[in-house]
Amino acid sequence: MGKISEETYLNELTHLIREKTGTNRFLSTKEISLIKKWYIEKIPLDELKKIIETEIKSFPISKRKKFSLLYIENRITKKKIAKEIKEITKDISQKNDKWKVFLEKNKFPLELMEIKDKEIDEELKDLEIEKRVVRYIWQNLPEKEKKRLQKETLEEIKRKFITENINLKKVLKSIIYRKIKKDYDFPE
């Protein structure tokens, strides 16, 4: 919350409720607990004030004295969830932007970003795009370049590994994958 103390947070909301309902009422222990929970969750005071004021105004004047913060708890929770979803969507959008920039810079088709499989989790889509781009690069490399990469990789494997103890094909693929990522300066 920064500079506002929990007590100030509570007092400002209590004062607002008394002012807008036109009654000098005390908050219930549930309402006080709710305000403390919102304080801990760092829900901005100004945002809360707007929501409370809007909700109180929606009550007829004769029934405003019966207003309770418990009525708006769901609205606050939904708003908080919507904010979190917006942040997640923003992160996903930024990931897509980095791939779009990378593909355009290297003149690769943007279709490599299009993943239609609904089963793939958002976190794994980034890896799937990376895999597709590496595959595309490999498929479009000239044969001479492929042979050179394979030869370099085999030499590296012979220097660093005991070839009887590894699956040569998998290690070869893995190192070539890494080299392609390095050569084309893949986004992080």
Side-chain angles (χ1 to χ4, degrees), residues 53-90:
E53 200 168 333
T54 305
E55 190 66 26
I56 290 173
K57 284 180 181 177
S58 72
F59 276 68
I61 294 173
S62 62
K63 294 193 179 187
R64 287 186 183 172
K65 62 184 175 193
K66 296 191 184 219
F67 171 79
S68 171
L69 287 175
L70 302 175
Y71 296 141
I72 63 168
E73 180 180 14
N74 287 340
R75 268 182 71 190
I76 303 292
T77 306
K78 285 178 186 174
K79 203 164 195 158
K80 185 178 173 233
I81 290 170
K83 198 176 200 178
E84 290 170 359
I85 290 171
K86 188 176 179 181
E87 287 174 14
I88 290 168
T89 308
K90 183 180 172 188

Side-chain angles (χ1 to χ4, degrees), residues 6-186:
E6 185 176 331
E7 187 178 340
T8 306
Y9 192 84
L10 179 68
N11 288 338
E12 284 201 32
L13 291 176
T14 304
H15 177 72
L16 176 77
I17 292 168
R18 285 179 179 164
E19 181 186 318
K20 298 300 175 186
T21 59
T23 59
N24 189 17
R25 70 180 201 80
F26 294 98
L27 299 179
S28 70
T29 52
K30 281 186 179 182
E31 290 174 310
I32 292 171
S33 296
L34 199 53
I35 290 174
K36 287 180 178 181
K37 178 181 138 197
W38 292 335
Y39 178 82
I40 291 168
E41 291 175 352
K42 296 182 169 71
I43 295 178
L45 184 61
D46 294 336
E47 207 174 292
L48 260 177
K49 283 181 171 181
K50 285 178 190 171
I51 293 170
I52 291 170
E53 200 168 333
T54 305
E55 190 66 26
I56 290 173
K57 284 180 181 177
S58 72
F59 276 68
I61 294 173
S62 62
K63 294 193 179 187
R64 287 186 183 172
K65 62 184 175 193
K66 296 191 184 219
F67 171 79
S68 171
L69 287 175
L70 302 175
Y71 296 141
I72 63 168
E73 180 180 14
N74 287 340
R75 268 182 71 190
I76 303 292
T77 306
K78 285 178 186 174
K79 203 164 195 158
K80 185 178 173 233
I81 290 170
K83 198 176 200 178
E84 290 170 359
I85 290 171
K86 188 176 179 181
E87 287 174 14
I88 290 168
T89 308
K90 183 180 172 188
D91 287 347
I92 291 168
S93 173
Q94 286 175 343
K95 281 182 182 179
N96 285 340
D97 287 347
K98 79 175 181 184
W99 282 111
K100 185 176 182 185
V101 168
F102 174 78
L103 293 174
E104 286 173 346
K105 181 180 100 179
N106 289 292
K107 295 178 176 53
F108 296 147
L110 293 177
E111 292 81 46
L112 294 171
M113 284 178 44
E114 294 173 11
I115 298 174
K116 293 175 178 78
D117 190 358
K118 301 283 186 216
E119 298 293 313
I120 294 178
D121 186 42
E122 284 301 323
E123 295 296 318
L124 297 176
K125 282 188 179 180
D126 203 38
L127 287 172
E128 180 63 25
I129 292 170
E130 179 183 289
K131 203 165 84 174
R132 287 174 176 209
V133 173
V134 170
R135 190 179 315 124
Y136 176 82
I137 291 170
W138 179 256
Q139 289 170 348
N140 291 290
L141 273 177
E143 280 302 313
K144 197 174 186 179
E145 185 67 18
K146 285 181 183 177
K147 296 285 183 201
R148 183 192 63 78
L149 254 176
Q150 288 173 336
K151 185 179 175 187
E152 280 179 15
T153 305
L154 277 170
E155 288 171 3
E156 184 179 333
I157 289 173
K158 286 177 184 174
R159 282 193 317 269
K160 293 183 178 179
F161 298 96
I162 299 171
T163 52
E164 293 99 38
N165 296 341
I166 61 168
N167 181 334
L168 191 59
K169 189 175 181 179
K170 279 187 180 181
V171 174
L172 186 70
K173 275 184 174 183
S174 175
I175 294 174
I176 289 173
Y177 188 97
R178 189 189 72 221
K179 284 181 181 241
I180 288 174
K181 280 179 57 177
K182 185 180 175 195
D183 290 349
Y184 284 85
D185 195 27
F186 271 54

